[in-house]
Amino acid sequence: MSARRTLHRFFERRERQRRRQRMRRLVRRGVMGTLAVQTATAAGLFTFDSIRKKDRPEGAFPHRPAETVALPRSEVRVFMYGEELFEQMLEDIEAAQHRVFLETYIWKGDEMGQRFRDALVRADARGVEVYVVIDDFANLVVPASFKRSLPATVHAAAHPLVSGGWKFLHPRYSGRDHRKLLVVDSDIAYVGGFNIGSLYATKWRDTHARITGEFVVELENAFIDYWNVHARRGDEAPLPEPTGRAWSQTLRVHRNTPVDLVYPIRNMYLEAIDRAERSIAITQAYLIPDEAFRRALVRAAQRGADVRIIVPRFSNHVFADWFSRTHFTELLKGGVRILRYEHAMVHAKTATIDGRWSTIGTANIDRLSLVGNYEVNVEIIDEALAAQMEAIFELDATNCTELTLEEWTARPMIARATEGILAPWRDLA
């Protein structure tokens, strides 16, 4: 009897092992099948988008000249057209006498990029200290000859493609330098969404701010802090920290600093949205809000605020578009209005609330910007500036079509299926 019981237990163990093996095979096949479907869907979207882009007109959008708003001890001039912005930036670089700081995510090697390069070279030749930072990953397609064309006397550095050694996948080391800053002679500072290149001069709709007065020191300090930690050469002294930092009730700078796991821009947005009573007007290139963000927007709409968000109908990143759309049902049902920008890429990262609060900066409302990249936004509490930002939003709205819940609910089944297939990846964007 004992031998029979032992034999029975042996066969039971063997059967359990076979069942576990069959289950593992089924799980592996399911995972591989899901990945295959997701990969095929992504490849199909990429191919379709490449074909669509060839026939899509770009650059036909309304804009108006920049206007200056006077704030206590500062002035802010808001640009919504790249050509006008670039001419002003180049003029300020040409007039520089002491020091120029330029930090940009993308710097194209085209005609406009060459103009910026030449202006910096001339500034360097007349004795101006020139410091430049670009992001290595964002400029992989820029010719190496252009990136090497700055003279050795220019202090140039690139945010590395990989950092942190074996820890490079940790959030402290994986963030890109997505900031766009220009500071001239400690007197003028620029911040916003514009990268440098001919495409952005006339064909993309973006927003940038030119700031003068006592608040320039805050953006200058943002550049210096980054340079001293990440960019300076080992054999050179760190840049001196600026003095006379501003304690302003009107303007504040918020910087995401991945190496320190500091991400205040997300909190800035959530706090402002939580205060909204009358209106929220947001313009975003890539809208992929997390749960707390979606909840805050819906709650604002439900307490009576007119919550409107402008997004590109088709952005330059097809996957960002589809990830964004996976949140449309929740937002539309919650009373949030979605306006889709037509005929051009809208790349601005701005918001204004209740005619009092505004932000202009480099951070998108997605995981990469809010808990990933190096970013910088200015927060401005001023009714005159908010009125200008609202006017810009209303002008942009004339180039939009509003997406209704009824229209969205009636979208084709293949679109719903595509959203479902890609949804598991949206939190990585």
Side-chain angles (χ1 to χ4, degrees):
M1 180 66 70
S2 176
R4 184 179 299 174
R5 189 160 45 244
T6 301
L7 188 62
H8 178 71
R9 288 173 179 171
F10 170 77
F11 283 115
E12 279 187 337
R13 286 198 298 270
R14 288 286 300 273
E15 183 59 28
R16 286 196 297 269
Q17 289 173 352
R18 290 193 184 100
R19 286 199 295 267
R20 284 196 293 267
Q21 289 171 352
R22 285 196 295 270
M23 183 59 66
R24 291 192 192 103
R25 284 197 295 270
L26 287 172
V27 170
R28 282 198 298 267
R29 288 171 183 171
V31 171
M32 294 302 294
T34 299
L35 288 174
V37 171
Q38 291 173 335
T39 301
T41 301
L45 286 176
F46 182 80
T47 302
F48 174 76
D49 188 62
S50 299
I51 296 170
R52 178 180 54 79
K53 282 180 177 178
K54 293 179 181 178
D55 299 322
R56 186 178 71 195
E58 287 189 326
F61 58 89
H63 55 90
R64 68 182 207 175
E67 296 182 18
T68 300
V69 174
L71 305 178
R73 299 179 296 281
S74 292
E75 287 187 340
V76 178
R77 187 171 180 83
V78 182
F79 293 82
M80 62 178 301
Y81 194 60
E83 191 170 56
E84 182 186 15
L85 168 71
F86 292 154
E87 293 300 330
Q88 182 66 71
M89 292 172 76
L90 289 166
E91 181 180 324
D92 288 338
I93 292 172
E94 295 288 3
Q97 298 179 17
H98 306 293
R99 204 159 59 177
V100 172
F101 296 149
L102 175 65
E103 183 177 354
T104 186
Y105 184 58
I106 296 173
W107 186 353
K108 297 284 190 182
D110 55 22
E111 180 182 357
M112 184 58 71
Q114 188 68 45
R115 289 185 64 191
F116 271 83
R117 181 259 180 205
D118 293 345
L120 293 171
V121 170
R122 286 192 292 270
D124 175 69
R126 65 178 181 267
V128 175
E129 289 185 279
V130 178
Y131 291 78
V132 173
V133 177
I134 64 171
D135 185 88
D136 238 355
F137 173 77
N139 294 277
L140 284 175
V141 298
V142 177
S145 58
F146 178 78
K147 289 187 281 189
R148 292 195 301 263
S149 65
L150 289 171
T153 47
V154 170
H155 305 266
H159 188 83
L161 191 63
V162 176
S163 61
W166 62 271
K167 297 180 288 186
F168 71 96
L169 289 178
H170 190 280
R172 291 184 62 188
Y173 304 103
S174 58
R176 310 314 313 161
D177 183 7
H178 193 242
R179 310 194 314 178
K180 297 94 176 172
L181 285 174
L182 172 65
V183 183
V184 179
D185 285 345
S186 303
D187 295 326
I188 303 164
Y190 291 83
V191 64
F194 276 101
N195 292 294
I196 296 174
S198 299
L199 172 69
Y200 315 118
T202 58
K203 297 186 182 300
W204 280 31
R205 164 68 191 94
D206 214 327
T207 300
H208 230 71
R210 179 183 189 266
I211 299 172
T212 58
E214 73 166 14
F215 201 70
V216 171
V217 67
E218 296 304 303
L219 290 168
E220 180 180 41
N221 183 68
F223 181 93
I224 289 173
D225 280 352
Y226 177 89
W227 181 270
N228 286 343
V229 173
H230 301 285
R232 73 181 180 92
R233 299 162 184 162
D235 60 346
E236 65 181 8
L239 287 166
E241 295 187 4
T243 58
R245 298 279 302 280
W247 290 94
S248 175
Q249 297 291 323
T250 306
L251 293 94
R252 298 183 182 91
V253 167
H254 298 277
R255 293 177 282 161
N256 285 358
T257 310
V259 72
D260 296 324
L261 297 179
V262 172
Y263 305 101
I265 296 175
R266 179 176 178 273
N267 294 341
M268 173 200 74
Y269 263 113
L270 291 174
E271 178 65 25
I273 292 169
D274 193 51
R275 291 172 179 268
E277 297 178 351
R278 177 174 62 82
S279 64
I280 298 175
I282 296 173
T283 303
Q284 276 292 311
Y286 317 110
L287 177 72
I288 312 174
D290 60 29
E291 182 181 356
F293 230 106
R294 299 193 304 274
R295 184 171 62 246
L297 290 168
V298 168
R299 284 180 176 173
Q302 291 175 345
R303 63 177 176 265
D306 180 17
V307 182
R308 292 181 294 167
I309 306 176
I310 290 177
V311 296
R313 186 177 184 89
F314 300 108
S315 80
N316 62 319
H317 292 303
V318 64
F319 302 123
D321 292 344
W322 282 90
F323 293 149
S324 180
R325 291 167 193 162
T326 64
H327 299 301
F328 282 4
T329 299
E330 178 182 353
L331 293 174
L332 290 168
K333 283 185 176 180
V336 176
R337 299 169 61 189
I338 297 173
L339 285 66
R340 299 195 287 187
Y341 201 78
E342 304 284 357
H343 312 306
M345 171 62 189
V346 60
H347 191 250
K349 302 93 167 56
T350 62
T352 187
I353 295 177
D354 283 354
R356 297 187 62 191
W357 179 94
S358 303
T359 186
I360 301 170
T362 70
N364 299 301
I365 298 178
D366 61 16
R367 189 202 65 82
L368 289 177
S369 279
L370 296 184
V371 291
N373 292 334
Y374 290 85
E375 306 281 1
V376 58
N377 271 51
V378 291
E379 177 185 28
I380 306 165
I381 303 173
D382 181 82
E383 292 183 0
L385 193 281
Q388 184 178 148
M389 297 298 294
E390 286 180 340
I392 289 173
F393 186 92
E394 295 301 336
L395 180 59
D396 284 335
T398 66
N399 195 50
C400 295
T401 54
E402 183 166 355
L403 178 66
T404 65
L405 179 58
E406 292 74 21
E407 178 187 356
W408 183 243
T409 302
R411 68 195 185 281
M413 185 58 67
I414 190 171
R416 298 168 180 264
T418 302
E419 293 157 20
I421 291 168
L422 296 178
W425 296 99
R426 66 190 179 189
D427 292 333
L428 299 178

